Amino acid sequence: MRRRCREPALLGMMAAVLTSATCADNRTPRPDVRVEGAWARAVADSDGTTAAYMLLRNVGDAPGRLVGLRSEAAREVQLHRTTIDESGLARMAEIDALDIPAGGSVELAPGGYHLMLLGAGPLADGDTVRITLDLEGSAPVEVAAEVRAF
Ligand SMILES: [Cu+2]
């Protein structure tokens, strides 16, 4: 249930306090996903494959869900997860979505979750790759990932 908040300046002090309390109680919980420390690995090929990493922090009060990815710098961007199998080999697989808990964060880092950029490059140290994250229940987030050569 949503209720419109009235302009507190038009009301008395007591009414303003009551109004803001009412608005806070009835506000629809929303995810608010912020991105920190985004970077992508350099790639020499013009039609190469590379990975991007970042911290996804949800400062909102509802769970966030990453459901789509796109970039003008790549033909396709996929969400991947790396796991180690019984023989110690690293394998990665595409996953459909990634949940970011309310008030929590998920790290995309080498050896774990990452974004896979297919049909990307060349990307050199110091370049910037722009990636758009599509999230359920909130506006898309634009990410500027710094390209690093390591
Ligand atoms: Cu991958």
Side-chain angles (χ1 to χ4, degrees):
M1 182 177 80
R2 296 185 71 185
R3 191 174 295 184
R4 288 189 65 185
C5 302
R6 279 178 294 167
E7 179 57 62
L10 298 174
L11 304 168
M13 192 63 162
M14 197 60 182
V17 169
L18 288 171
T19 302
S20 55
T22 302
C23 288
D25 287 344
N26 288 298
R27 201 181 65 78
T28 306
R30 288 183 192 288
D32 184 356
V33 176
R34 315 279 173 91
V35 173
E36 296 170 17
W39 66 281
R41 227 179 264 283
V43 57
D45 300 341
S46 60
D47 187 20
T49 299
T50 190
Y53 310 98
M54 64 201 65
L55 184 73
L56 302 175
R57 188 184 297 283
N58 183 4
V59 298
D61 51 10
R65 189 168 168 86
L66 175 61
V67 292
L69 295 153
R70 52 211 152 85
S71 172
E72 285 183 0
R75 190 179 62 245
E76 190 181 349
V77 185
Q78 298 179 347
L79 179 60
H80 280 196
R81 180 185 197 173
T82 301
T83 51
I84 309 293
D85 72 10
E86 315 82 60
S87 55
L89 281 174
R91 296 180 184 282
M92 58 184 186
E94 187 178 7
I95 54 176
D96 293 333
L98 185 61
D99 293 310
I100 309 131
S105 60
V106 175
E107 188 174 25
L108 280 62
Y113 293 115
H114 57 278
L115 307 188
M116 210 80 217
L117 284 76
L118 311 174
L123 294 170
D125 193 69
D127 288 351
T128 298
V129 179
R130 295 186 186 282
I131 303 167
T132 303
L133 312 185
D134 289 317
L135 299 146
E136 224 169 65
S138 60
V141 174
E142 306 289 337
V143 178
E146 177 198 333
V147 176
R148 296 184 196 160
F150 54 88

